[in-house]
Amino acid sequence: MSKHIIELVDVVKDYDGTEALKGISLYIRQNEFITFLGPSGCGKTTTLRLIGGFEKPTSGRILFEGVDITDVPPYKRKVNTVFQKYALFPHMNVFENIAFGLRIKKLDKNVIREKVSKMLHLVNLEGFEKRSVESLSGGQQQRVAIARALVNEPEVLLLDEPLGALDLKLRKEMQLELKRMQKQLGITFIYVTHDQEEALTMSDTIVVMQNGTIQQIGTPEDIYNEPKNAFVADFIGESNIIDGIMLRDYRVKFAGCEFECVDKGFGINEDVDVVVRPEDIKLVARDESPLQGIVKSVIFKGVHYEMQVDDHNGYSWIVHSTRMAPVDTEVGMYIHPQDIQIMKKVSAV
């Protein structure tokens, strides 16, 4: 992945005096699976609609392969969109739904048949050609919607929370299917979701958004292991986020104890946010760690136990471990210096 296929330059979107996007800039690479991730109202769907041409920015530019397409209508852009509500035509069978865009282009019927057959194979719906779309399951309808978008051979596929209406098991299956299709076709997928697991499972790159701004862009590994701020750390997976004081380089104080860490470059005695993932806390004997507490609850999660441990300074910690400590057990909590993440305090806007 190298070539920039789409660029957003200082894009602002204003709705009746409320800024949905506050001057965002980013690029999307060719053949990339990129996901816009964030809570409701963060601006992720607005960004997708701007790329698709369904909205125009209040200011800023949108480039496609270096050409300004800010004012180009949707039907002239080399993109197709799959919405959460699949918008299939109920009076048409599966074949005709997929073939719709090709018939609009007035392609030869043999070409249409060949292209639709290829799409049916891609989405594992061979033999469903004559079925009514209303007789299909939610997952099958979604596959038809994807095939209908892909049959037009777009350079970019936009997907606006397409798995939101599916049950958990089917959603997980379709996550893998979408990733397989994207790799097989070698085109750019731009995906919108509020589901962190979906983003981590499928994406090459994740764009975390909040309040119309970009909080962090990175690989799933970077986003999870090296969050830029407390919002990203809290939104991506579970985190223990507590107030701390950076005493000096490589030394931090939180929860009433001093710890070694791997961070530097902060001011002496600077107030910071300290982030520790639940799986990075190791339960040990009380005398093996200065950070001590009492187990208040235990929940079995299948692959691990989730425990709430209240320390002696009033903090409640979430701990994930394959080893269970019973309720009311006094424990020590060991945290390796590399697993203590320090980040600057962000002032409330």
Side-chain angles (χ1 to χ4, degrees), residues 11 145 170 174:
V11 171
L170 186 55
M174 286 307 302

Side-chain angles (χ1 to χ4, degrees), residues 48-267:
L48 195 79
R49 291 180 61 82
L50 289 168
I51 293 171
F54 303 109
E55 304 270 2
K56 287 187 178 181
T58 305
S59 63
R61 296 183 300 143
I62 300 172
L63 308 179
F64 191 99
E65 296 180 329
V67 177
D68 193 329
I69 62 165
T70 307
D71 296 317
V72 174
Y75 66 91
K76 289 188 176 181
R77 301 190 183 195
K78 299 176 183 178
V79 304
N80 272 77
T81 306
V82 177
F83 298 100
Q84 182 175 353
K85 296 179 179 179
Y86 311 131
L88 300 176
F89 303 116
H91 62 288
M92 295 182 182
N93 62 23
V94 169
F95 184 96
E96 291 301 328
N97 263 277
I98 297 173
F100 181 78
L102 303 178
R103 295 203 188 281
I104 294 293
K105 295 177 180 178
K106 298 183 179 179
L107 297 184
D108 179 81
K109 64 179 181 180
N110 292 323
V111 174
I112 292 175
R113 186 180 301 111
E114 181 183 344
K115 287 181 176 291
V116 173
S117 295
K118 180 182 176 182
M119 284 300 110
L120 287 167
H121 175 73
L122 178 72
V123 300
N124 295 321
L125 285 178
E126 290 171 299
F128 283 72
E129 293 90 333
K130 296 181 180 180
R131 291 274 295 272
S132 164
V133 292
E134 293 188 320
S135 72
L136 304 180
S137 68
Q140 291 167 337
Q141 288 183 3
Q142 190 230 33
R143 290 168 191 262
V144 174
I146 291 170
R148 186 178 62 181
L150 291 175
V151 78
N152 292 295
E153 299 177 350
E155 292 190 35
V156 177
L157 184 66
L158 309 178
L159 301 109
D160 187 8
E161 303 206 47
L163 308 185
L166 305 181
D167 63 61
L168 179 61
K169 185 174 184 296
L170 186 55
R171 207 160 66 230
K172 289 180 178 293
E173 291 174 359
M174 286 307 302
Q175 290 170 12
L176 301 177
E177 280 293 296
L178 283 173
K179 187 63 177 175
R180 176 188 65 80
M181 291 180 206
Q182 189 263 337
K183 290 299 183 187
Q184 186 173 333
L185 293 167
I187 67 175
T188 303
F189 276 31
I190 305 177
Y191 195 92
V192 162
T193 185
H194 62 272
D195 188 309
Q196 303 94 322
E197 184 182 357
E198 257 181 26
L200 293 169
T201 298
M202 296 188 294
S203 311
D204 298 314
T205 303
I206 297 174
V207 180
V208 184
M209 301 183 69
Q210 181 196 30
N211 296 333
T213 63
I214 294 172
Q215 298 293 307
Q216 185 171 353
I217 302 175
T219 66
E221 292 84 359
D222 289 341
I223 295 290
Y224 187 84
N225 294 322
E226 298 293 336
K228 293 292 186 184
N229 55 45
F231 171 79
V232 176
D234 191 42
F235 194 77
I236 306 293
E238 292 187 78
S239 295
N240 296 286
I241 304 175
I242 62 175
D243 296 327
I245 300 173
M246 199 68 184
L247 301 175
R248 58 181 183 275
D249 286 352
Y250 312 116
R251 193 74 177 174
V252 64
K253 181 177 181 180
F254 60 89
C257 307
E258 293 187 19
F259 298 86
E260 292 182 17
C261 63
V262 297
D263 294 270
K264 63 178 182 178
F266 293 83

